[in-house]
Amino acid sequence: MNRYRWMGALDGWAGHSVRGLPKHRETASATASCSGTRERFARTAKASRLPLRCGWLGILLLACGLTAGLAAASRDLGGGFVDHGVATPLSQHRGMVATSDGAGRDVMLVWLYDHRGGYALLMIDAETGKTEQFATPYPWGGDGPFASLLSSRGKYYTVFGNHFSEFDPVKRAFAFFQKNAPQMAMSLTETDDGTIWAATYPNTGLVSFNPATRKFAEVRSANTENWFQYPRSIATGADGWVYAGIGSAAAQIVAHDPRTGGTQALFATGERAPGYATVRGHVGGKVFAEVPLAGGPKWFELAGGKALPLAGKPAAQLRPIIAGDQGLFHARFPSGRVAQVCDTVERTLTVRDPKTGETKRVTFDYTSDGAHVIALAAAPDGTITGGTAFPMRMFRFDAARDAWDNWPAHGQFNTVTRQGDRFFVGGYTHGFLLEWNPAQRWVHTAKNGKSGNPRFLTECDAVINRPHDLLPLPDGHTIVLAGTPGYGLTGGGLLIWDRAAQTRTLLTHEQLLPQQSTMSLVALSETKFLGGATTGAGTGGEKKAKEAELYVFDVTAKKIEWHAAVFPGAQVYVDLGPGPRGLVYGFVDRSRFFVFDPVERAVVHSAELKDSFGPVVTGQGPRALVRDERGRTFVLFTKGIARIDDASFAVSWVAKSPVPISSGGDVLGGRIYFAGGSHVVSYPLPE
């Protein structure tokens, strides 16, 4: 059996968090199990044909673990554009809890997430599999849950899309929602009187709601930093103080007194170290914290708005609060039964009764608009191949058969490319590198093993966490991976992989451009390439460089031989591509087009295109510049497709897209392919 296990969600918070269950709790798993049987595939393929013709909304969930040859039913959008369907017609859970409804029946509450964000809450009857889907009752702007809490009163809480919400399974409705300061909760807790507290990204806002009085209050920002803050833990003490643990550029704890409204940071700048401060409430009302400091991690008791040093980790019992991050899976129903598996790919819920030992498995349905297409490119087998999130899946579209394949993916495919007869993937997290042989059957990737197709080659840990470009050099055996670093860090490195020797060179930002990361790459020769940097830091990190640079890198010497800020004040070189006569095309800050001469090391042409074309596509691996087999260069803007005149460097529209273009882009069989949210769309290249 091939198995794809849910292991966290957006921004790399792997695993799930369940608090408030006894240590002897039944083992449970929010698992997506993939049988791939012929009977199940036939049923899935048949059921999928109608939804895939239904356009951009209302696509039924496909129960496809390992699938092959799923009919795409491509659809004409007019003007030459063709919608080939949804690459991964599934949704990801963003928190699921076992509870009961108004009739005392066991139900599972599941936050659903697709390319639109957290669009609905699903209620599954554990006995029958019957479902009800409750649309998010406010505009969420593409956001989704990063934390949730099931209260002692049986209500389900979260904060995302700048709104706090309460779902009541007894009333089968959202009983309360209220707009709050941006943006989403990173942690929630409950006090002894039932008050719900949440700490929010990106400015450590504090939100409170008293379910008895229905009073809502907030502190819009309890702490000031020049980086986005992740308050991944929150706790309240018996003395009434509220504490939030913050990361990740520099750990901090914020203390808040609701009676006075005052807030204070507990650690001075010089004491702090990168990482996350973790606060936990314990039985008896005490709050303890572990904090990474300049001299190493230390433990504290938090009381009266102060941090009191401890000799070591205290022996104390956590308060029984059911809360966690986006991977929360609370398994025990009030009846005592335990959810063993809630599978959003196979659409099954398996529940065990510890009293009788009986296990029951039910199937359920829900609607989805499909997972977000992160990256795609033409593969050596003549297909369009790429990856989606969330869930993390690998897909392959065969235009000749008008059919899809879809498999579990090893993480998030940020950037993809081909070299010779192989297809390569640079992925999040840890900047992993995979090699896929499309001539062989798909086999689940095994990390640090020789098995698997795609095959795991290496990873970059914190040096590169989110890859942004993957460059195959024309020597036929060198692959270069670039991107931003780990959480809370600034400055990303480069990975140079030698396929012939099966060896790697991993360079840090200190060896390249200090405090910058590489966003884009283009080959200049077999041994040299041009890199475009970004000042952006790793997630939750501090931006330190004032402007991004271009650089020329010598692969043989393994060093930069030239670099300069050719556009003063520029923040990111979004994409680079080969131009005519040895020149390089590029886009800086999404709307300024330029032509660079790598011999003279000078910009020979530039034009601001914001007003006439809008921004080029962006993302974690944009592929905005696409070259066809005839050497013509096309540009993917969010509004449509344009072409660059190689003589005059003028940019002109080829066609306006009927759907927003979310990411690029490659050419195959005389058509240019791109992503439109969860869909793969193509357009015929002009003669």
Side-chain angles (χ1 to χ4, degrees):
M1 175 181 288
N2 295 294
R3 184 167 291 271
Y4 169 77
R5 182 175 296 271
W6 160 241
M7 290 295 290
L10 192 62
D11 285 333
W13 289 94
H16 59 265
S17 172
V18 180
R19 302 207 297 275
L21 295 180
K23 291 183 179 179
H24 61 272
R25 65 183 181 272
E26 297 282 331
T27 301
S29 175
T31 302
S33 176
C34 310
S35 61
T37 63
R38 289 182 179 272
E39 295 80 7
R40 185 164 185 81
F41 166 71
R43 184 169 69 252
T44 300
K46 182 178 179 181
S48 73
R49 291 190 182 109
L50 177 61
L52 284 174
R53 292 192 184 103
C54 292
W56 293 82
L57 297 174
I59 298 164
L60 288 177
L61 165 75
L62 291 181
C64 50
L66 175 61
T67 68
L70 184 62
S74 294
R75 185 168 63 96
D76 187 355
L77 297 177
F81 288 90
V82 175
D83 172 14
H84 301 289
V86 178
T88 298
L90 301 168
S91 293
Q92 184 78 57
H93 95 80
R94 300 286 288 191
M96 52 175 68
V97 294
T99 185
S100 59
D101 66 5
R105 298 179 65 85
D106 289 344
V107 295
M108 202 80 186
L109 301 181
V110 181
W111 267 110
L112 296 174
Y113 184 97
D114 65 12
H115 77 100
R116 299 165 295 175
Y119 64 96
L121 186 73
L122 185 71
M123 178 186 284
I124 309 167
D125 189 299
E127 191 65 29
T128 67
K130 180 181 177 182
T131 60
E132 293 179 69
Q133 192 166 307
F134 304 90
T136 302
Y138 52 81
W140 66 94
D143 201 4
F146 277 74
S148 58
L149 178 147
L150 180 66
S151 75
S152 58
R153 304 185 186 198
K155 310 298 193 299
Y156 195 29
Y157 296 93
T158 191
V159 183
F160 70 91
N162 306 334
H163 282 78
F164 173 95
S165 70
E166 174 194 76
F167 183 83
D168 187 340
V170 172
K171 295 180 179 179
R172 307 179 102 81
F174 285 95
F176 180 86
F177 60 92
Q178 173 68 47
K179 188 170 184 179
N180 57 265
Q183 179 179 341
M184 83 284 277
M186 286 289 157
S187 54
L188 294 99
T189 193
E190 181 180 8
T191 66
D192 289 337
D193 70 358
T195 298
I196 307 300
W197 282 91
T200 63
Y201 166 100
N203 299 311
T204 308
L206 298 174
V207 173
S208 68
F209 176 71
N210 187 315
T213 65
R214 317 305 282 177
K215 181 182 178 182
F216 174 89
E218 70 171 323
V219 177
R220 296 179 64 86
S221 178
N223 187 55
T224 301
E225 305 286 354
N226 63 354
W227 40 269
F228 292 157
Q229 302 169 52
Y230 283 70
R232 271 298 184 176
S233 59
I234 186 171
T236 59
D239 58 2
W241 282 81
V242 180
Y243 302 93
I246 303 168
S248 59
Q252 182 62 279
I253 293 176
V254 170
H256 171 65
D257 187 346
R259 293 157 295 197
T260 66
T263 62
Q264 56 202 50
L266 301 188
F267 295 94
T269 300
E271 297 179 273
R272 301 162 63 190
Y276 295 85
T278 303
V279 300
R280 291 286 184 263
H282 294 75
V283 172
K286 288 191 174 184
V287 177
F288 297 106
E290 184 179 20
V291 186
L293 298 176
K298 290 185 172 55
W299 283 90
F300 298 86
E301 179 179 349
L302 307 179
K306 297 180 180 180
L308 309 175
L310 298 174
K313 182 178 180 180
Q317 181 181 352
L318 289 171
R319 291 182 62 217
I321 298 173
I322 302 169
D325 64 14
Q326 64 268 38
L328 173 65
F329 180 59
H330 171 61
R332 188 176 296 277
F333 295 96
S335 67
R337 296 199 300 168
V338 175
Q340 292 185 310
V341 173
C342 189
D343 184 330
T344 56
V345 171
E346 292 286 347
R347 295 178 296 173
T348 60
L349 173 62
T350 304
V351 177
R352 182 176 183 271
D353 189 337
K355 297 177 183 178
T356 64
E358 179 185 354
T359 297
K360 182 164 186 176
R361 181 176 181 266
V362 297
T363 61
F364 61 86
D365 286 314
Y366 64 88
T367 63
S368 172
D369 203 27
H372 177 64
V373 176
I374 300 294
L376 63 82
D381 62 346
T383 65
I384 292 294
T385 298
T388 66
F390 295 93
M392 314 294 198
R393 306 285 292 187
M394 176 180 176
F395 66 83
R396 175 171 62 183
F397 174 67
D398 187 337
R401 296 185 298 127
D402 196 22
W404 289 91
D405 298 313
N406 190 284
W407 305 282
H410 178 84
Q412 180 173 295
F413 287 15
N414 273 28
T415 183
V416 291
T417 194
R418 64 175 291 181
Q419 187 180 65
D421 63 351
R422 301 302 166 91
F423 189 83
F424 292 86
V425 177
Y428 165 88
T429 59
H430 305 301
F432 62 80
L433 181 65
L434 308 181
E435 178 184 281
W436 180 51
N437 182 355
Q440 302 295 323
R441 70 182 183 91
W442 180 91
V443 179
H444 199 289
T445 301
K447 182 179 178 181
N448 298 330
K450 294 183 179 180
S451 64
N453 186 32
R455 183 167 67 96
F456 181 91
L457 299 178
T458 188
E459 65 182 11
C460 306
D461 300 313
V463 176
I464 302 173
N465 191 45
R466 293 183 187 272
H468 293 306
D469 209 350
L470 187 60
L471 176 68
L473 289 180
D475 64 0
H477 65 84
T478 303
I479 301 288
V480 183
L481 180 70
T484 48
Y487 283 77
L489 303 178
T490 306
L494 284 176
L495 170 71
I496 302 171
W497 179 260
D498 187 328
R499 294 176 58 197
Q502 293 288 289
T503 58
R504 75 173 198 175
T505 300
L506 184 62
L507 303 174
T508 67
H509 72 103
E510 293 92 348
Q511 297 169 285
L512 302 164
L513 299 177
Q515 313 301 345
Q516 299 185 53
S517 300
T518 300
M519 181 73 187
S520 51
L521 299 166
V522 64
L524 301 178
S525 68
E526 290 193 354
T527 59
K528 292 184 181 182
F529 61 81
L530 183 70
T534 174
T535 60
T539 306
E542 179 182 1
K543 181 188 288 190
K544 296 179 180 179
K546 295 186 181 300
E547 55 190 3
E549 300 183 41
L550 283 179
Y551 66 88
V552 174
F553 187 89
D554 186 315
V555 177
T556 303
K558 301 293 190 298
K559 67 179 182 179
I560 289 176
E561 65 177 33
W562 169 89
H563 64 95
V566 297
F567 287 97
Q571 297 301 299
V572 57
Y573 290 87
V574 176
D575 204 6
L576 298 171
R581 304 177 295 280
L583 301 173
V584 171
Y585 290 147
F587 275 87
V588 61
D589 294 339
R590 294 194 67 185
S591 61
R592 176 164 289 278
F593 168 64
F594 68 93
V595 183
F596 183 76
D597 185 335
V599 176
E600 298 297 328
R601 292 172 179 172
V603 174
V604 298
H605 173 84
S606 72
E608 176 55 61
L609 304 181
K610 180 178 180 180
D611 293 337
S612 51
F613 292 88
V616 294
V617 295
T618 187
Q620 301 193 44
R623 298 182 68 95
L625 290 164
V626 181
R627 203 178 199 195
D628 72 358
E629 297 91 340
R630 293 160 55 182
R632 300 178 298 176
T633 301
F634 297 88
V635 185
L636 293 173
F637 293 91
T638 57
K639 295 178 180 179
I641 304 167
R643 180 182 170 186
I644 303 170
D645 185 292
D646 288 340
S648 67
F649 306 134
V651 180
S652 59
W653 282 115
V654 173
K656 298 286 187 70
S657 175
V659 298
I661 301 177
S662 55
S663 65
D666 211 345
V667 169
L668 180 67
R671 302 185 70 88
I672 185 168
Y673 287 80
F674 58 86
S678 59
H679 290 237
V680 172
V681 181
S682 72
Y683 180 81
L685 295 176
E687 293 298 328

